[in-house]
Every structure is written in C-alpha cells, then in structure tokens.
Amino acid sequence: METEEGIRWRKPALRPIETKIENREESHRSGDHHHHHHHHEVAADQTQNDVDLGEEEPVSPAGRMFHEPNFNVHVLAIMGSKYKIQPDIAKANLPNTLLKHPRFSSLLVVDEKDGGKMKWVRTEVDLDKHVIVPDIDPNMGTSPDEFVENYIYDLTKTSLDKSKPLWEVHVINLRTSDAEGVGVFRIHHSLGDGTSLMSLLLACTRQTADPTALPTLPAAEKRRKEVKGGGGGGGFIRSYSQCFLLGFWWLLRLLWNTLVDVVVFMATASFLKDTQTPIEGYPGSVKNPRRIVYKTVSLDDMKLVKNAMSMTINDVALGITQAGLSKYLNRRYGEIRNYDEGTTENKNNLPKNIRLRSVVLINLRPAAGIQDLADMMEKNTVAKWGNWIGYVLLPYDIGLKDDPLDYIRKAKVTIDRKKHSLEALFTSSIADVVLKLFGIKVKRDSPRSGLILLRPSLDLTLGSKVGLSWTEIASAVSHRIFSNTTMAFSNLVGPLEEIGIYGHTMEYLASSSYGQPHALMVNFQSYINKMTIVLSVDESVIPDSHQLRDDIVESLKLVKEAVIKKGQLVKQN
C-alpha cells in the first residue's frame, strides 16, 4: 500500500557534483581527450570523483507522471549556430557545465523490489553516447532545411534510452537558410520543467561581447495604477474610501474568478470538452511523431504593436495565434465543404460559438535563475530545482474579424482575466486537498479497481486496473485535461544579447516538445530582437503544418500594418 503522497513534492536544494581534476590513467576510455581549452579538459568519468556512484534520490511524483505511457514528454531545444559546430569542444566543456547538474549524471532506475519505485541513481557518463553526430549523405536529395526538419521528426518517433542519463545533443553540421549548423538538445521532461531546463542551458552560455558575462533576460513589466482622490479638504477621506472599496472589489473579483476557473477545470477533467475541430487530436494520437516547424520573425514588430496598443508581448503572441488559427480553421472548414480555395479564403466557413482552449503549464515553484545555476556549476553552490506545476486553461476567440487588432484586444481581455485568478495555484493543489479531506490511499490488494476512500460512507473507483498509483491518477487527470482541450501554448523569454555556447555563437533559439496528447503545441521563444514561432504538430491531424505556421506569421504582418495605418505608433521602449 502506497502512503499518502501529494502531487507537489518539495525537494531539498539541488547540490552540484563536485569536480576534481587528477592526473591518473583512464580506466575504461581512450581517445576522448581534446586540447581546445585546458581548463575544460575533464573526462566524463572524472567529473564525479567526489560523488558516490550509485547515490540515490527518489523521482518526484511530477517526474514519474512524465513517464506514464500517455504522458511521456520530451523537451526539445533547437539552437542555430553562426559557425560550424565542433563536437569535440562540446565534449570538453560538458563535464564542467551541464554534467555538474545531478539529473544529467543520473540513471532513471525502477526498483522492482521496492514496489516499482523510480529513483535517480548517479552514474558515470559516456559522452560518446550523448553527443551524437549523424552521418550526412552529400547526395541526400533534399534541402538542408528539410533534412533538419525530417531529422527532428524522426527523433520524435523514439524515446530516450533509459540505460543512460535522459538527455542527448544532436549536432547537425549543415548550412541551412538561417544557420551554419544546428544543435538539438533532447531532454526528458522528468528532469525538470521547461523554464528551468531552458535556464540551465542558458547558464552554459556567455555573451559574445563579454565572454565572462552571463546572458540577461528581460525584466518583468510592472504596471502602476494610481488612485487619485478629488480636490478639497475631503480628498484624503475620499481617497481612503476609494482605496478600500477598490481593494474590496479587487479581492471579490479575485475570489470569484478563481472559483469559476476551478469549477471549469474540474468540469474539464470530468466531461467538458472543446468543440471538435479539424485541429483536435484523437485518442491514441499521443503516440504519433510530431513535425516541428518554426519561423523567426522580428521581435521589434511585436514590440511596435505592444507599445502602440499599451499591451504586453504575451497579449500580442496570443492575439496573432488566435488570428492565425481562425484563418487556418476557416480554410479547413471550407475544404471540408468542398469550396474552392478562392471562395474559402473570402467566405466565413466557421461554425458559431467554437469552444477552443489551450493548456498553459505554470511552474509555481520559484525557479533557479541563470546566475544561480551558473554558480552551481562554477562555484559548487546550491540551486533550487523541481516541479510544482499548475494548469491554466486559456480560451481562444475563434472567428473572422474585419479589424485584425480585435484579435489582440480580445487576447488582452483573456490574459488580464487569467492574471486576476489563482487558478494555477488551486489546480496544482486539488490532489492535496482531496487527500486532506477524504484520506484517499491506493489499495493494491483490493479485488476492486481504482481508489478506496478511507471514510466508510464514501467509495470511489477509478480506472480498470487494480491498485492505481498516485502517479497514474495524476497522469490520468492530466491526460483528461489535455484530451478535453485542443492545444498547448507557451511564451518563453530569451537573452537580450547575442550569446554563444562553448564558443559557438547562437543564431536563433527554438523550444518545443513531443509526447503530449495535444495534436498542436504553439511556442514563442524570444532571442535578442528576434521571436521564433515554433509549432509541434501531429501530421495525421494537421497535414499542412507549414501553412498553419505561415498563417500565424502573416497575422503578425496584418496586425502591424493595421497599427501603422491607424497611426497608433508610439516611441518603442
């Protein structure tokens, strides 16, 4: 019988692997010494001299959830390089950077003698099995861009090999339309949440203008709202009264919004489904490979719209996504009704009142910053790590609009409404609340299936298999949320300056994932003055992923032109 265990799991601070360079004979490897930077000449097996190999740490419930068959999620970080990538330099630098993180130097082990519990067990790392350089046929018959896209597509057909730590970097030295080489990091989601993993990778980089400086990220914008009292002697009293009333109204709205969002979340986990549209995945599509397509646009164009309309980059990103989806779905519905292409573009073919929502995963745990993770790797300090994930369900306004700016205005209303709610906090705590109120435990020896509530007056059964673990329950709830919604969405901020990783100047940065139930995931990733729009697509559902990507890109162009036409330009920050 498994004891009570919440989905939220508080880990101790993450400690780095101690590194000590010694003059000793290689025990089991040869030919792996490289002489590019003498202070980085550390073989992988030397990285862990001061670590007891075999040291164990339990996998968190959130980490175990990402290994369930219906939620086996892998994170992809695609980095374009300005120069040809040198794998030997990467191997020489990895032991003093990424391998200092315990998750990147540990095996995932399932202890069958201990009820099938998952554990992280420290191990030696053979970098030859992690830094992969594919053989490229010079007569491959496709363009370099197509080769890279198809290579990543083939990666999504497989899972990481559990006989080694759950990460890889693939080096593709092909000159594409926007880079001289491409590095693809593939990392299992159980190692950490997307934001933390991206921060860790960025902690391995340095500014090209100052090789000793870490990259800097944009500071969060804070809006200041002033409550002004009237003139005269009663101004203070009126201001005080206004503050009290506004504060009370603010709190009331917060509580009401949270209540509504939690009820909708529970309904979605039970029965509330999105409208069936041509971009909705079907049962079993979670196992299909994903086509990763991306295009880089000007971040300055998005800032122009943001400043002109007094909004945020998030508002603009969601707005152009709504616009692109509306255009794409209108075309798809027209094709279903056998209209010709010209008619499809100009006629409204969309059903009324489409319910289409995306899931946004929010890590509520204060994430370690780039500086903290860099200090962990360089100075052997400690850093926070771990998942405490909440869900936000983001509704989309799908429809054709005469004014492209209406998509941005609608997005702002939606995001402002979600900001004024504790939805993410409460959805992450629902499992813990159920535990405290009802005392649910898993009863593995029960002849009945599912969960047994300890209170005799209550009896609940879930699923068809005997003895569901909490990980399986959490995975089942997550899968229901994903299955009853249409897509996933995220917007990650990147460095403000040009950066390089192990001496390779980065041209662009694109982040995505595969293994999630949704047939569509849209990610925005900023870098300097660029924004890369990345789509992860199940081609059996969305066969023309490039068209959908281009519809979103075209929507940004239309919104920018509308702003200029209306003379809403203001000085950019």
Side-chain angles (χ1 to χ4, degrees), residues 183-354:
V184 182
F185 281 88
R186 181 165 69 148
I187 306 168
H188 200 276
H189 214 324
S190 59
L191 270 65
D193 68 278
T195 302
S196 297
L197 291 173
M198 189 60 68
S199 296
L200 181 64
L201 293 180
L202 291 178
C204 298
T205 69
R206 294 296 183 271
Q207 297 180 27
T208 54
D210 182 1
T212 63
L214 288 165
T216 55
L217 300 180
E221 296 183 16
K222 295 182 180 179
R223 297 180 180 177
R224 296 180 180 178
K225 296 183 179 179
E226 297 181 0
V227 179
K228 297 181 179 180
F236 174 78
I237 300 298
R238 285 196 295 271
S239 294
Y240 185 83
S241 300
Q242 284 179 343
C243 287
F244 176 79
L245 291 174
L246 287 174
F248 179 76
W249 175 242
W250 182 92
L251 179 61
L252 196 63
R253 285 176 53 226
L254 177 70
L255 295 175
W256 174 254
N257 290 344
T258 302
L259 175 63
V260 171
D261 289 341
V262 170
V263 170
V264 170
F265 175 83
M266 296 298 291
T268 303
S270 303
F271 62 88
L272 185 63
K273 298 189 61 156
D274 280 4
T275 304
Q276 188 171 359
T277 64
I279 63 173
E280 183 183 16
Y282 54 87
S285 66
V286 63
K287 298 180 180 179
N288 293 340
R290 295 297 191 264
R291 175 73 62 181
I292 310 296
V293 297
Y294 51 91
K295 185 169 261 186
T296 299
V297 298
S298 170
L299 180 59
D300 289 336
D301 286 351
M302 298 184 71
K303 287 182 178 178
L304 183 148
V305 177
K306 170 186 83 81
N307 293 329
M309 301 184 70
S310 300
M311 297 186 181
T312 66
I313 293 295
N314 263 334
D315 297 333
V316 179
L318 179 61
I320 64 174
T321 302
Q322 287 184 149
L325 285 172
S326 296
K327 184 176 182 179
Y328 178 82
L329 284 171
N330 188 61
R331 186 187 303 110
R332 287 288 297 271
Y333 276 113
E335 292 169 354
I336 292 171
R337 295 169 184 173
N338 295 318
Y339 296 140
D340 61 69
E341 186 172 346
T343 306
T344 299
E345 294 289 338
N346 300 317
K347 183 178 180 180
N348 188 350
N349 308 302
L350 294 169
K352 294 182 179 180
N353 301 320
I354 292 178

Side-chain angles (χ1 to χ4, degrees), residues 1-5 431-442 451-455 458 470:
M1 182 182 294
E2 186 173 319
T3 58
E4 295 179 11
E5 183 175 39
D432 286 343
V433 170
V434 171
L435 275 173
K436 292 175 182 177
L437 292 179
F438 303 110
I440 300 179
K441 290 186 179 180
V442 176
L451 302 178
I452 305 299
L453 294 179
L454 297 186
R455 292 187 180 180
L458 297 171
W470 272 114

Side-chain angles (χ1 to χ4, degrees), residues 268-274 357 480-486:
T268 303
S270 303
F271 62 88
L272 185 63
K273 298 189 61 156
D274 280 4
R357 296 170 295 171
R480 291 282 291 181
I481 292 295
F482 280 85
S483 298
N484 287 346
T485 53
T486 303

Side-chain angles (χ1 to χ4, degrees), residues 485-505:
T485 53
T486 303
M487 57 181 285
F489 178 87
S490 73
N491 178 22
L492 295 176
V493 295
L496 293 170
E497 315 87 1
E498 183 180 69
I499 59 173
I501 181 167
Y502 308 146
H504 300 83
T505 303

